[in-house]
Amino acid sequence: MDIVLDSSPLNDLNETYPLLSRIDSPDDLRQLDEHELPALAAEIREYLLQTLSRTGGHLASGLGAVEITIALHYLFDTPHDRLIWDVGHQCYPHKILTGRRDRMSQIRQKGGLSGFPKITESEYDHFGAGHSSTSISAALGMAIAAEAQGIDRKTIAVIGDGGMTAGMAYEALNHGGAIDKDLLVILNDNEMSISPNVGAMSKYLSSIWSGKIYSNLRSGSKRVLRRIPSAWELARRAEEHVKGMVTPGTLFEELGFSYFGPIDGHNLGDLLSLIRNLQKLSGPRMLHIVTRKGQGFPPAEDDACKFHGVGPFDPETGDVKSSAKPGLQSYTSLFSDWLVATGQRDSRLHAITPAMREGSGLVQFSEQMPDRYHDVGIAEQHAVTLAAGMARDGLKPVVAIYSTFLQRAYDQFVHDVAVQNLDVTFAVDRAGVVGADGATHTGNFDVAYCRCVPGAIVMAPAHAEDMFALLNTAYDYPGPALVRYPRDNTATPSAVDVETRVEIGSAVQVRSGKRAALLVFGSLYAIAEPIAEELDLSLINMRFIKPLDEAMIRRMASEHERLVTLEDASIEGGAGSAVLEFLNLENLHLPVLRLGLADCFPSQGSREQVLEDYGLDPATLRKAIAEFIGD
Ligand SMILES: Cc1ncc(C[n+]2csc(CCOP(=O)(O)OP(=O)(O)O)c2C)c(N)n1
């Protein structure tokens, strides 16, 4: 349920936003005169800055998409026409223009607006997103549906150049270009993914744009250049080469799309006139616009990566408020330290990221060992099979991947890595509750979908010491090994430990108690420890979800009348279920309380709030366990 929680900056600032304050829906936008639109764009930017500086969120992409958002809502009949945002992190201006302006101050917060398009939130959000590169497929499906039902409706997908690094986008183009449906794809090209975009396609897009600039320069400045013979001669000699390289849109044309552009995506006049023309056409069309990520806010223009997803910041200076907590370190940064230390010792180590260098903690490694660092773009499937190929021929790949994005590469994990029992280490970040990104990014499924894969080992550290020991163990393991860790902090260890290994499938009994045994899988251990103390429970740091420490479970079942399992993962198919399966096989019958995320797509909020929503906060956990043991 979405509720208005706070007053918006508009309430007392109507004079600051004379146009925006009048827009409660795209119908209001369409009442504006065309010449007022640039001023509206400026107001939207200011409004984004003022709201997001308090809440944090995805800033730079939205700033870059202001004009295209205005143009599309101004010219198309939304919500009748379908507007599909890829990833959806750039849709804040769309939310502002579609009746959610006053709720922007609670975006990504508990009970507030989602940071992505969400079909239950607004009739203008035609397709939910969060993961990238789905927009063209979804839009094509809608175009087919419109035609099948005889509905006169336009369908528009807006996708970034980052989104265009994923195979799925090409699967959709390949299909869409071959069938004559009414589909407009807007390619919003800012040369950035979260970090600078990578790959041959990115180079191809830049070459189209630079080719256009070159042509303009050539026709407009010929005379000037003629006066400087050497420059003219240089340009003339380069011409043939450039011509071949930059024939605009060739690739898309050959895929069956009519290609238009590239044009300046911040020039409302150009956008409106070209889109008006495109509206008169039908069939698969692509409009290539070039924008700047962070447009209009110099700190974000200068460092778009920092302002891709950002915490609260100073809207004047761009200074980001520090969220670092003394004595604590994120699991991500522990991984980062471990990766650098291990990479320095072993030249076979290659690190792979599907476009998440910063989020996955690979910045240091990429700088120190660039030859062994591979940003493959938003291409999780390729990332995993690439690792399989490396492993097959003697390298030691480490795939750093978020739990939610590993979903994309499940078949590659099963078919390419596990079936062939290849030596690939998976550092699975953001496992469990993720917080503000909400349901689309939740990391609660990896346990269920990985623990059924033969030969794979799945581990979850309880704290920093475990994190190093389990990463070392995973790295040494000659088959697929996953270490899953949360978006959370833990006590900072004294140093990176690259020595400690643990026996595969070994748990640790940390405390002996009488009332029940509490088997903890992973980082909720920090919450479990005082509860075990207080309720006199045996406490086991299980470390391994697969293989389980069967001897330990057998012993706990014989020494206690009850067992409790705790994990930051889906209960269905989770580690607690694995324990139940084992007890059943062994004919051991005793009550088991499984605690974790019960059959849900978790809500959004801070990690603490979401854990609380699902009964995984200290007080609720204590109460549930106390009731179970009859306290
Ligand atoms: C499948 C998947 N992998 C990774 C991400 C994380 N991610 C979110 S936005 C983004 C970059 C998108 O770049 P682009 O489409 O060019 O949009 P821009 O932010 O540049 O406007 C990435 C990698 C994701 N959302 N989905």
Side-chain angles (χ1 to χ4, degrees):
M1 185 183 56
D2 297 310
I3 45 174
V4 183
L5 290 166
D6 196 12
S7 59
S8 108
L10 272 185
N11 289 352
D12 44 352
L13 290 174
N14 274 354
E15 312 92 73
T16 318
Y17 306 99
L19 294 169
L20 186 56
S21 56
R22 284 160 37 201
I23 296 177
D24 294 321
S25 76
D27 283 338
D28 298 330
L29 167 69
R30 290 173 206 128
Q31 303 307 313
L32 295 186
D33 201 273
E34 211 169 300
H35 78 264
E36 293 176 295
L37 298 182
L40 175 67
E43 287 184 26
I44 292 176
R45 286 207 165 85
E46 180 61 21
Y47 191 73
L48 265 177
L49 275 183
Q50 293 307 328
T51 46
L52 292 198
S53 62
R54 303 174 198 192
T55 59
H58 289 112
L59 176 68
S61 309
L63 287 174
V66 170
E67 284 82 7
I68 187 65
T69 308
I70 292 175
L72 291 173
H73 279 295
Y74 193 69
L75 294 178
F76 285 95
D77 179 21
T78 54
H80 173 74
D81 290 336
R82 296 332 199 195
L83 195 47
I84 316 298
W85 299 98
D86 201 82
V87 185
H89 63 308
Q90 79 292 57
C91 80
Y92 295 15
H94 158 82
K95 294 206 176 202
I96 291 173
L97 291 174
T98 53
R100 287 167 278 181
R101 181 195 56 215
D102 296 349
R103 291 190 286 156
M104 289 300 291
S105 53
Q106 294 295 326
I107 197 159
R108 288 165 59 86
Q109 309 205 349
K110 185 174 157 74
L113 291 178
S114 166
F116 301 101
K118 193 172 172 186
I119 56 177
T120 51
E121 189 179 284
S122 164
E123 59 177 335
Y124 292 90
D125 291 1
H126 296 116
F127 201 76
H131 288 201
S132 95
S133 317
T134 61
S135 61
I136 306 176
S137 299
L140 184 60
M142 291 174 174
I144 292 172
E147 189 184 282
Q149 295 162 64
I151 300 170
D152 181 15
R153 183 160 66 207
K154 301 286 175 197
T155 312
I156 306 106
V158 183
I159 184 167
D161 56 304
M164 289 293 290
T165 57
M168 217 185 144
Y170 296 90
E171 293 170 28
L173 288 181
N174 182 46
H175 183 206
I179 58 174
D180 191 31
K181 303 299 169 212
D182 193 354
L183 172 67
L184 173 60
V185 176
I186 309 277
L187 169 54
N188 178 13
D189 178 5
N190 55 23
E191 299 193 316
M192 292 291 289
S193 191
I194 291 179
S195 22
N197 203 6
V198 295
M201 177 53 65
S202 171
K203 285 191 189 145
Y204 175 71
L205 294 177
S206 319
S207 74
I208 298 178
W209 181 234
S210 52
K212 173 127 179 170
I213 293 172
Y214 171 76
S215 316
N216 290 345
L217 175 85
R218 203 162 55 89
S219 52
S221 321
K222 230 175 196 168
R223 232 173 282 149
V224 183
L225 281 175
R226 273 190 202 287
R227 280 191 235 123
I228 316 165
S230 56
W232 173 243
E233 179 55 19
L234 200 69
R236 195 193 59 74
R237 264 190 253 144
E239 183 171 2
E240 284 317 306
H241 173 65
V242 172
K243 252 189 203 160
M245 205 169 68
V246 299
T247 308
T250 304
L251 179 76
F252 303 109
E253 292 276 348
E254 284 178 6
L255 280 171
F257 277 70
S258 305
Y259 171 91
F260 302 86
I263 61 164
D264 176 357
H266 297 303
N267 185 324
L268 267 161
D270 285 358
L271 280 178
L272 292 173
S273 69
L274 192 50
I275 295 174
R276 275 197 183 100
N277 284 332
L278 285 174
Q279 284 178 309
K280 294 175 200 146
L281 306 175
S282 65
R285 288 148 290 155
M286 175 178 283
L287 171 60
H288 181 180
I289 65 171
V290 174
T291 59
R292 177 189 273 211
K293 199 160 172 171
Q295 170 80 4
F297 183 47
E301 289 178 3
D302 294 345
D303 191 348
C305 183
K306 175 172 155 194
F307 286 91
H308 175 88
V310 68
F313 61 92
D314 181 331
E316 300 301 321
T317 62
D319 290 342
V320 178
K321 298 185 179 134
S322 167
S323 57
K325 297 196 179 112
L328 294 181
Q329 197 174 341
S330 69
Y331 279 92
T332 307
S333 96
L334 294 174
F335 166 69
S336 173
D337 293 348
W338 173 87
L339 189 72
V340 169
T342 308
Q344 280 163 349
R345 290 159 62 101
D346 186 350
S347 62
R348 295 170 304 162
L349 190 158
H350 280 239
I352 301 173
T353 173
M356 300 302 286
R357 182 181 64 180
E358 285 72 18
S360 290
L362 294 182
V363 174
Q364 275 175 286
F365 187 95
S366 69
E367 287 166 358
Q368 294 186 25
M369 286 156 265
D371 296 345
R372 289 188 276 137
Y373 166 74
H374 309 274
D375 177 350
V376 300
I378 309 178
E380 288 80 8
Q381 302 176 333
H382 166 61
V384 172
T385 304
L386 180 78
M390 288 179 178
R392 179 81 182 108
D393 268 346
L395 300 182
K396 296 267 297 169
V398 176
V399 180
I401 191 161
Y402 286 15
S403 166
T404 190
F405 300 141
L406 182 57
Q407 289 165 195
R408 276 262 165 110
Y410 188 55
D411 185 54
Q412 287 69 17
F413 168 57
V414 174
H415 174 270
D416 298 325
V417 178
V419 168
Q420 309 189 90
N421 196 31
L422 292 172
D423 179 1
V424 179
T425 300
F426 292 87
V428 184
D429 201 334
R430 303 324 194 249
V433 166
V434 293
D437 280 335
T440 54
H441 284 62
T442 186
N444 52 340
F445 303 124
D446 61 271
V447 171
Y449 71 70
C450 289
R451 78 173 184 84
C452 59
V453 177
I457 63 170
V458 185
M459 293 168 269
H463 38 56
E465 287 72 24
D466 262 8
M467 178 74 173
F468 293 139
L470 297 185
L471 283 168
N472 294 332
T473 305
Y475 190 68
D476 281 3
Y477 182 70
L482 296 94
V483 181
R484 74 181 306 264
Y485 46 92
R487 178 180 207 155
D488 204 3
N489 296 317
T490 184
T492 307
S494 44
V496 190
D497 167 8
V498 287
E499 301 297 340
T500 309
R501 269 94 182 129
V502 304
E503 192 186 325
I504 303 292
S506 64
V508 183
Q509 179 160 10
V510 187
R511 184 183 191 284
S512 290
K514 296 199 174 52
R515 315 290 305 280
L518 176 52
L519 314 181
V520 186
F521 296 85
S523 64
L524 293 180
Y525 178 86
I527 302 179
E529 216 172 9
I531 298 176
E533 200 65 46
E534 211 183 316
L535 298 178
D536 191 19
L537 311 173
S538 289
L539 177 64
I540 314 296
N541 170 10
M542 291 298 290
R543 301 196 297 211
F544 285 80
I545 293 157
K546 182 184 188 158
L548 288 171
D549 187 336
E550 298 182 344
M552 178 71 82
I553 298 173
R554 232 180 256 120
R555 185 158 67 78
M556 287 302 116
S558 71
E559 290 175 2
H560 300 85
E561 285 177 8
R562 290 177 156 71
L563 298 183
V564 181
T565 64
L566 176 61
E567 61 194 302
D568 183 3
S570 161
I571 292 178
E572 288 71 22
S577 299
V579 171
L580 272 186
E581 288 164 15
F582 172 70
L583 293 172
N584 186 51
L585 275 178
E586 296 270 307
N587 246 329
L588 294 168
H589 301 293
L590 73 167
V592 179
L593 174 65
R594 288 174 300 157
L595 297 167
L597 293 157
D599 201 19
C600 64
F601 290 109
S603 49
Q604 68 185 37
S606 69
R607 183 171 152 83
E608 289 68 32
Q609 286 168 334
V610 178
L611 286 172
E612 195 178 325
D613 284 350
Y614 296 94
L616 297 174
D617 59 298
T620 318
L621 273 178
R622 189 201 166 283
K623 189 160 167 273
I625 299 173
E627 272 171 20
F628 178 66
I629 61 175
D631 219 27

